Amino acid sequence: MNKGFGVTVTVPQPGDQEPKVAPLVVVARDEQDAELVAARAAGANASAETLRELTDDEVVAYGLDLQAHGSAKVLPILNL
């Protein structure tokens, strides 16, 4: 069964620029799967860290479809 997870993704930038960090919510089987989903969504060389599993209310609030494994939404700010 899929669950919703809050994840942060870090994307390296060219040169000496600071990496970009973005919060996402993703639909995945477990925490490790959530990190893989998020890193793939962010592109090459991205890394991800799962913050926590979302509550049922948060899944509804973010409009996640738990049947859609691998779906991800970028959040404007980290509010987990």
Side-chain angles (χ1 to χ4, degrees):
M1 180 174 161
N2 294 322
K3 303 173 186 176
F5 293 91
V7 180
T8 57
V9 175
T10 303
V11 181
Q13 299 298 301
D16 293 334
Q17 295 180 36
E18 287 290 316
K20 295 199 181 225
V21 178
L24 280 80
V25 289
V26 301
V27 175
R29 292 182 299 275
D30 56 33
E31 289 183 5
Q32 187 176 24
D33 187 38
E35 291 173 1
L36 292 172
V37 166
R40 272 191 234 124
N45 301 319
S47 61
E49 180 182 353
T50 302
L51 298 174
R52 66 177 174 82
E53 184 178 333
L54 302 178
T55 66
D56 292 339
D57 289 340
E58 289 171 322
V59 168
V60 171
Y62 290 120
L64 296 177
D65 176 2
L66 295 182
Q67 300 302 313
H69 176 270
S71 61
K73 293 184 178 185
V74 177
L75 302 177
I77 59 169
L78 184 60
N79 189 20
L80 296 172

